Amino acid sequence: MVINLDGDAVALGRGALYALRQSVLQDLGDQAAARLQEAGQAGGADVYACFQRWLREQMGVDDPGAIGAAALGSVLSDFFYALGWGRVTIDRVGAALAIDTMEWVEAEPNTGAAYPSCFLSAGFLADFMGRLANRALVAMEVECRSCNHPRCRFLIGSPELIEAVYQAVSEGRDYLSATLP
């Protein structure tokens, strides 16, 4: 499937993405995650604009909100794969939406990272999914292939829910305990 980037997005090699992330992490230390997430959020609107064009061209759908819940995972998987990010699956995890992928491009598999580190992706997924849902959403990566997990898992939810997930993880609890209604 071809995506018409139409000036909203550019192709960037995996090596450049890794080098940029590593440089920001090295230079900004504890501030890096927040800065990369901010950059990702800034790009969410552009990726969403590409998604709207792609839907129109590939599926004849003008309103992304018209995609049924049962088809959403497959549609987003095809779109993210066509952009080069990787295939995804979408599931409900308690009150959160989970986006799972075994091939997400930002992850550097088996590097033994201490914590999930697809920060740019968390930012752009929060903005993108918020636009799709027409409300403010937050994303947090809770599993990452860079940490030797078998997949990257992003939880998407309200700011309050994701804050509760962050608090649970910070306290050493399983993120699943915070997603339950």
Side-chain angles (χ1 to χ4, degrees):
M1 291 184 197
V2 175
I3 292 185
N4 175 3
L5 299 177
D6 200 29
D8 290 320
V10 298
L12 179 69
R14 185 182 301 234
L17 179 61
Y18 293 164
L20 176 63
R21 189 179 66 189
Q22 188 58 39
S23 178
V24 171
L25 288 168
Q26 187 175 13
D27 291 350
L28 298 181
D30 292 342
Q31 302 275 325
R35 297 300 175 250
L36 286 166
Q37 282 181 328
E38 288 169 7
Q41 275 202 284
D46 297 327
V47 175
Y48 191 75
C50 285
F51 179 62
Q52 289 177 301
R53 276 192 308 280
W54 179 82
L55 270 178
R56 203 172 301 115
E57 293 167 4
Q58 296 295 317
M59 304 178 82
V61 174
D62 287 325
D63 177 14
I67 302 169
L72 182 61
S74 176
V75 169
L76 289 178
S77 186
D78 288 347
F79 174 71
F80 289 133
Y81 180 77
L83 269 183
W85 285 93
R87 294 200 183 278
V88 300
T89 59
I90 296 182
D91 290 302
R92 285 306 247 166
V93 176
L97 189 69
I99 297 178
D100 296 330
T101 176
M102 309 239 340
E103 56 191 38
W104 201 245
V105 72
E106 189 176 356
E108 293 183 76
N110 304 314
T111 56
Y115 47 83
S117 54
C118 296
F119 306 119
L120 190 74
S121 299
F124 106 72
L125 286 170
D127 187 82
F128 181 95
M129 295 302 288
R131 289 174 190 281
L132 186 60
N134 201 27
R135 64 187 180 108
L137 296 174
V138 177
M140 178 180 174
E141 188 181 25
V142 293
E143 296 178 33
C144 185
R145 292 172 47 239
S146 297
C147 299
N148 302 333
H149 294 128
R151 66 182 175 191
C152 290
R153 170 170 266 189
F154 299 90
L155 293 184
I156 313 289
S158 69
E160 298 80 19
L161 175 63
I162 300 304
E163 177 60 33
V165 171
Y166 180 80
Q167 189 65 36
V169 171
S170 296
E171 294 169 356
R173 293 185 288 133
D174 187 345
Y175 66 86
L176 293 172
S177 67
T179 62
L180 302 174

